[in-house]
Amino acid sequence: MAVNLSVPQAGNLHPVPGVRIGVAEAGIRKANRKDLTVVLIDEGASVAGVFTQNRFCAAPVQVCREHLLRGSIRAMVINTGNANAGTGQDGLARARATCTALAAQLELAPEQVLPFSTGVIMESLPVDRIEAGLPAAIADAKPDHWLRAAEGIMTTDTQPKAFSTQVSIDGALVCVTGISKGAGMIRPNMATMLGFMATDARVAQGLMQQLARELADGSFNRVTVDGDTSTNDSFVVIATNKAAHAEITSLDSAAAKALKAAMLEVARQLAQAIVRDGEGATKFITVRVEGGASTEECLKVAYAISHSPLVKTAFFASDPNLGRILAAVGYAGIADLDQTKIDLYLDDVHVAVNGGRNPAYREEDGQRVMKQSEITVRVVLGRGSVADTVWTCDFSHDYVTINADYRS
Amino acid sequence: MAVNLSVPQAGNLHPVPGVRIGVAEAGIRKANRKDLTVVLIDEGASVAGVFTQNRFCAAPVQVCREHLLRGSIRAMVINTGNANAGTGQDGLARARATCTALAAQLELAPEQVLPFSTGVIMESLPVDRIEAGLPAAIADAKPDHWLRAAEGIMTTDTQPKAFSTQVSIDGALVCVTGISKGAGMIRPNMATMLGFMATDARVAQGLMQQLARELADGSFNRVTVDGDTSTNDSFVVIATNKAAHAEITSLDSAAAKALKAAMLEVARQLAQAIVRDGEGATKFITVRVEGGASTEECLKVAYAISHSPLVKTAFFASDPNLGRILAAVGYAGIADLDQTKIDLYLDDVHVAVNGGRNPAYREEDGQRVMKQSEITVRVVLGRGSVADTVWTCDFSHDYVTINADYRS
C-alpha cells in the first residue's frame, strides 16, 4: 500500500564503522517476530537525540533524556510490541531495568544505554522477555545489519525504511546511514517515533544536539500522517568519529555544511518514507506554503491543510473538491489573513486567484492532477516572502480499518 | 445512521408569533429537492448573529455581518447546494443580489435581509434560480413550518434537526424554537453552519449580540465532528418581542436567566443533534475535562481528544485502546502538564490514575463502556478547578465514504 516506496536493499546501505546491530525474536507481544534490536556503538562516539514534545512522553523517552545528559553512550536497545507509555513510575523502573540488563551483558554502566519502545500504550513492559532475548540480539550484532534493524523496529509499517549515502569531508569519504519506523500516530513534534542515523564522520559532541535538532526540523518535523503526536517519538544521531578527517568543531564550516547536507538528505528520505507508508496512504502530498510573513504561519497553514479529514478524503477520492483546502487555510489561525490575497495551485494548475476561483480553472485540469500518486498543493498567502513545506498523505478506508483493528 | 436522534414531529415544534417560514424547490444544484427557505419576521424584532471565525468566510457571512449592523432585519433567505464561499468579489455581488431579489418581493430594503448559503465551496451561486424560486417560497410561508425549514436546510444531514420549548417569563408563556443543519466540516468557532432560533420573548436589541454569543458558547461552540471549521457557520437568534411581559433589559435579571436557560437547552440540543448526525457517526461522545487551570486549557485537551483520528477510530471499533486518549492529552498543548497527576475515566470506569494504568482497571470494564452508543470520557488534569465539555462522535468507514463521494 505504500506510495512509491521501494524496499531498501541491504547492499545499498553503507555500514558505519563503529556501529554494529543485532536483532532477535523476544516474543514481546507476539511470537516469531523480530521485536528486539540492539545497537552497539564503539567508545568515543558523539551522540545526541531529540524527543517528542508530548507531555505524556513514554518512560524510555524520559530515561533517554537523562542518559544523554551523562554522555558516553555505548548501546541502544529497542523493542516493538509495547510503547511503555502511560505506565507511570512502574514504567520508568522497567525502562531502567532494560538498560541495566543490557549494560550487564556488555560490561557498561546502565547510563551508557539508551532505551526505546514502540507499540501499544498503557500496557506493562515485559522486561523478563527483553532480558531473555538480549543474548541472541548481541550475538547477532554485525556492521551490515542496518536492514535487519529497519525490519526489527517495524510495527504497522508495511515496509522497512532505511537510506544511506556517502559524502567527502576534507578528502575523507564518510558514510551516513539511517533507519526509521512509523505509519500512524505521526505528527512528530521534535522528532519521529524511532529514527536512528549514524555517520563515521568526526563531529564534536558539543555540536551534536544542535545538529540533531536541525536535521529533525528539516525532515521529521515536517511530516504528518494523522496529526497525532506520539508519546515515543525519538530521533538519535550518532557520529562514531572514525573517519580520517579533522574533527568538525563548527556547524558553519564547509565540512559541516557538506556533512549536514548529506545527513539531511537521508533524514528527509526517512521522514518521507513514513508518510509514503502512512496507514492506508494511497497518495503522497507535498503541501508548500509561500508568501508567508513567518515560518510559524506557513506551518500553521500547511498543517491545517495536512490534518483536515475533508481535504485528505478528497485526495483519497481523487476529487478536486478544492474549496476544502481554502476552508482549511481560513481556519489555520492567522487572525489577520486577507482572503482576497490567496492563490492556490495544484501542481501546475492555478485553481484560485485572489481568494476566488480562477476563471481559467477547468475542473478536468484539477481532476488530472488529483489522480496522480504524488501531488503538490501550493498556497500563496501574499503576506511576505517566507515559505515552508510539510509532507503528508491522504485518508482512506484502510486508515480506519487499520486503526480499528490495531490491537486485535 | 444518526446516534439516538429522533426525527422531530411538527406538532412538537411551537410556532413563534412573529415568524413565518416558507420552503421551495429551486433546483440550485439538483432537481426535486427542498433547497430554498425564507424566514419572514414581523417588524420590531431584535436580531443578532454569530458567525464563523474562518478567515475564508463565505460571501453571505460577510453580507450578514454588514446587514446586522444596520438593524431592522425582516427576512432571511437560505439556500443549500452551494456555499458561495471561495468566490471572491463576484460571490459577494451574488449574495447581495439574493437579498435585493427577496427585498423587492417583500417591499423591504436589501439591508433588511440576511442571506445564508451552504453546500459546495468555490462554485458560482446561481442567483437566477434562487430568484425564480422565491415566489413559491414566500407563498408557502406559515408559522408552523419549522420542520419544513429544518428539512429545507439539510445537506449531508440524514435527519432534520429542530427543537422547541416553552418557558414562563413574568407570567407570560413564551416559545423558543430552533433548527440547525450540519454533519461534516463541523468544528464551529463562534457558531455552526446554519443554526436559527426564535422566541417571542421581549428582549432589548442591545442585549441580543451578547445573548447570541453566550448561547453559541454553551452549545455550537462545544461540538466537533471532524475539526474542520466551515466557511459558512452562522447562528442567528431572533426575539420577535410579541410576548406579554416587560422587555428584558438586562441579561442578569431573573427573567433573562429563565429565558437564557430555555434557549440554551434548545441550542444545546440543536448542536448535539449535529454531532449525533455527524457524517458516519455510530457513537455520541461527551468529552469532559476537569481540574483545569483555565477554560482555555480544558478546551485544548477536550478538542485534542475529540479530533484525534486514532481516538475516534478506536471508538468506532469499540476498542478500549485508551492509551490513545492519554497521548492526545499529552500533545494538547499544555506546556507544563504533569503526566503524573492525570486521571482518566470512561463513564464510571477508572482507567488511569496518576498518569499510569489503574491497577484495578480491567479491560473487560473498558470494553463494556466502549460498546455503548453514548460514552463519556472524563479527564482530570489535577491543575485547578475549572471544567468544560465538548461533544463529538466517532470516525468510521462511512465518514470516508461520504466525503470521498460528496460531490458525485
Side-chain angles (χ1 to χ4, degrees):
Chain A
M1 202 63 187
V3 185
N4 304 331
L5 179 62
S6 53
V7 175
Q9 303 298 310
N12 294 337
L13 301 173
H14 305 288
V16 178
V19 172
R20 290 172 300 137
I21 299 170
V23 177
E25 297 179 357
I28 290 167
R29 184 175 175 83
K30 294 182 180 169
N32 306 318
R33 281 171 66 150
K34 294 175 194 152
D35 54 10
L36 182 64
T37 301
V38 296
V39 179
L40 311 183
I41 306 164
D42 282 2
E43 198 165 356
S46 305
V47 181
V50 286
F51 299 91
T52 184
Q53 291 303 297
N54 192 313
R55 301 308 303 163
F56 242 100
C57 67
V61 168
Q62 297 175 63
V63 174
C64 275
R65 287 190 175 122
E66 288 173 20
H67 289 187
L68 279 168
L69 288 177
R70 307 279 195 97
S72 305
I73 299 301
R74 293 290 309 281
M76 306 197 292
V77 52
I78 309 151
N79 72 272
T80 64
N82 185 310
N84 194 11
T87 47
Q89 289 300 316
D90 179 65
L92 269 175
R94 287 171 187 269
R96 291 204 173 93
T98 308
C99 295
T100 301
L102 181 56
Q105 303 212 19
L106 299 174
E107 299 186 351
L108 300 171
E111 294 76 20
Q112 294 181 283
V113 179
L114 300 181
F116 305 87
S117 296
T118 178
V120 177
I121 298 173
M122 223 175 64
E123 297 194 0
S124 186
L125 186 73
V127 178
D128 52 340
R129 292 182 211 166
I130 292 174
E131 194 163 352
L134 285 175
I138 294 168
D140 184 58
K142 292 202 175 60
D144 61 354
H145 275 182
W146 283 90
L147 181 57
R148 271 176 76 78
E151 292 163 352
I153 63 175
M154 288 167 64
T155 53
T156 57
D157 309 63
T158 68
Q159 291 187 19
K161 298 165 183 70
F163 294 91
S164 189
T165 190
Q166 289 183 310
V167 59
S168 176
I169 306 288
D170 289 344
L173 193 63
V174 309
C175 307
V176 178
T177 301
I179 60 175
S180 64
K181 62 105 8 187
M185 198 174 267
I186 301 294
R187 191 263 161 100
N189 181 5
M190 279 304 106
T192 193
M193 198 159 176
L194 310 198
F196 303 105
M197 183 182 298
T199 177
D200 55 332
R202 296 186 63 203
V203 184
Q205 175 64 45
L207 303 181
M208 288 301 288
Q209 190 59 41
Q210 190 187 334
L211 177 62
R213 177 68 50 91
E214 287 183 16
L215 292 173
D217 280 345
S219 58
F220 296 106
N221 284 348
R222 291 294 185 279
V223 299
T224 184
V225 170
D226 45 21
D228 281 270
T229 300
S230 158
T231 51
N232 293 55
D233 288 346
S234 305
F235 172 54
V236 170
V237 182
I238 302 162
T240 63
N241 297 320
K242 299 276 189 185
H245 62 83
E247 184 181 61
I248 293 173
T249 55
S250 160
L251 288 178
D252 297 324
S253 66
K257 287 178 179 168
L259 179 64
K260 271 167 54 178
M263 295 183 83
L264 184 60
E265 177 58 23
V266 172
R268 203 167 267 179
Q269 285 177 309
L270 290 170
Q272 292 184 358
I274 287 173
V275 172
R276 292 181 183 282
D277 199 18
E279 288 171 344
T282 72
K283 300 207 169 129
F284 180 82
I285 316 290
T286 299
V287 182
R288 171 118 183 127
V289 178
E290 300 177 353
S294 68
T295 296
E296 184 195 2
E297 69 178 35
C298 290
L299 290 177
K300 273 185 183 177
V301 170
Y303 278 114
I305 295 168
S306 299
H307 291 150
S308 161
L310 292 171
V311 171
K312 290 166 97 81
T313 49
F315 277 114
F316 170 57
S318 300
D319 176 9
N321 192 340
L322 302 171
R324 293 176 176 178
I325 297 177
L326 295 183
V329 173
Y331 68 69
I334 304 181
D336 59 346
L337 187 73
D338 179 354
Q339 64 168 276
T340 67
K341 292 187 175 165
I342 311 288
D343 277 26
L344 171 66
Y345 297 80
L346 207 62
D347 275 13
D348 56 328
V349 177
H350 196 167
V351 175
V353 59
N354 297 333
R357 186 184 176 115
N358 178 3
Y361 171 65
R362 297 180 311 157
E363 175 108 355
E364 54 263 42
D365 293 332
Q367 183 72 64
R368 171 177 56 76
V369 179
M370 289 297 277
K371 283 184 176 163
Q372 298 167 186
S373 62
E374 311 241 345
I375 299 167
T376 296
V377 173
R378 189 157 63 91
V379 176
V380 184
L381 297 177
R383 294 165 57 82
S385 58
V386 181
D388 215 312
T389 300
V390 164
W391 297 285
T392 191
C393 57
D394 60 333
F395 208 158
S396 71
H397 283 294
D398 282 352
Y399 181 90
V400 178
T401 301
I402 291 164
N403 283 299
D405 299 344
Y406 176 53
R407 301 197 314 164
S408 61
Chain B
M1 205 58 191
V3 184
N4 303 330
L5 180 61
S6 53
V7 175
Q9 302 298 311
N12 295 336
L13 301 174
H14 305 288
V16 177
V19 172
R20 289 173 299 138
I21 300 169
V23 177
E25 296 180 357
I28 291 167
R29 185 174 176 82
K30 295 184 180 169
N32 306 315
R33 282 171 68 151
K34 292 175 194 154
D35 55 8
L36 182 64
T37 300
V38 296
V39 178
L40 311 182
I41 305 164
D42 282 4
E43 199 165 358
S46 305
V47 182
V50 286
F51 298 91
T52 185
Q53 291 302 297
N54 193 313
R55 301 309 303 164
F56 242 99
C57 67
V61 168
Q62 298 175 62
V63 174
C64 275
R65 288 190 174 121
E66 289 173 18
H67 289 188
L68 278 168
L69 288 178
R70 307 279 194 98
S72 304
I73 299 301
R74 293 291 309 283
M76 306 197 292
V77 52
I78 310 150
N79 72 272
T80 65
N82 186 311
N84 194 9
T87 46
Q89 290 299 318
D90 178 66
L92 269 177
R94 287 170 187 268
R96 292 205 172 91
T98 309
C99 295
T100 301
L102 181 57
Q105 304 212 18
L106 299 174
E107 298 188 351
L108 301 171
E111 293 77 21
Q112 293 180 283
V113 178
L114 300 181
F116 305 88
S117 296
T118 178
V120 177
I121 298 173
M122 222 174 69
E123 297 193 1
S124 186
L125 185 73
V127 179
D128 51 341
R129 292 183 211 167
I130 292 175
E131 194 162 354
L134 284 176
I138 294 168
D140 184 58
K142 292 201 176 61
D144 61 353
H145 274 181
W146 284 91
L147 180 57
R148 272 177 75 79
E151 292 164 351
I153 64 176
M154 288 167 64
T155 53
T156 57
D157 310 63
T158 68
Q159 292 186 18
K161 298 164 184 69
F163 294 92
S164 189
T165 190
Q166 289 182 311
V167 58
S168 175
I169 305 289
D170 289 342
L173 192 66
V174 309
C175 306
V176 177
T177 301
I179 59 175
S180 64
K181 65 107 2 191
M185 199 174 266
I186 301 294
R187 190 265 162 97
N189 182 6
M190 278 305 108
T192 192
M193 198 160 177
L194 309 200
F196 303 105
M197 183 183 297
T199 177
D200 54 332
R202 297 186 60 204
V203 184
Q205 174 64 44
L207 303 182
M208 289 301 288
Q209 190 58 40
Q210 191 186 335
L211 177 62
R213 177 65 51 92
E214 287 184 17
L215 292 173
D217 279 345
S219 59
F220 296 105
N221 283 348
R222 291 294 184 279
V223 300
T224 183
V225 170
D226 45 19
D228 282 88
T229 300
S230 158
T231 49
N232 292 55
D233 288 346
S234 305
F235 172 54
V236 169
V237 182
I238 302 161
T240 61
N241 296 321
K242 299 276 189 184
H245 63 82
E247 184 180 63
I248 293 173
T249 55
S250 160
L251 288 178
D252 296 324
S253 66
K257 286 178 180 170
L259 179 66
K260 270 166 56 178
M263 295 182 83
L264 184 59
E265 177 58 26
V266 171
R268 201 168 269 179
Q269 286 177 308
L270 290 170
Q272 291 184 359
I274 286 172
V275 173
R276 292 181 184 283
D277 200 18
E279 288 171 345
T282 73
K283 303 214 166 118
F284 180 83
I285 316 289
T286 299
V287 182
R288 170 116 183 127
V289 179
E290 300 176 355
S294 67
T295 296
E296 184 195 2
E297 70 178 34
C298 290
L299 291 178
K300 272 185 182 174
V301 170
Y303 278 114
I305 295 169
S306 299
H307 292 151
S308 161
L310 292 172
V311 171
K312 291 166 97 81
T313 49
F315 277 115
F316 169 56
S318 300
D319 177 8
N321 193 339
L322 301 171
R324 291 176 177 178
I325 297 178
L326 295 183
V329 173
Y331 68 67
I334 304 182
D336 60 347
L337 186 73
D338 179 354
Q339 64 167 276
T340 68
K341 291 187 177 165
I342 311 286
D343 277 26
L344 171 65
Y345 297 79
L346 206 62
D347 275 13
D348 56 328
V349 178
H350 196 165
V351 176
V353 59
N354 297 332
R357 186 186 176 115
N358 177 4
Y361 170 66
R362 297 180 312 157
E363 176 108 355
E364 53 264 41
D365 293 332
Q367 183 70 66
R368 171 177 56 76
V369 178
M370 290 297 277
K371 283 184 176 165
Q372 299 166 186
S373 61
E374 310 242 346
I375 299 168
T376 296
V377 173
R378 189 155 65 89
V379 176
V380 184
L381 297 177
R383 294 165 56 85
S385 59
V386 180
D388 217 310
T389 301
V390 164
W391 297 284
T392 190
C393 56
D394 61 332
F395 208 156
S396 72
H397 283 295
D398 282 354
Y399 181 89
V400 178
T401 301
I402 291 164
N403 284 298
D405 298 344
Y406 175 53
R407 300 198 315 166
S408 61

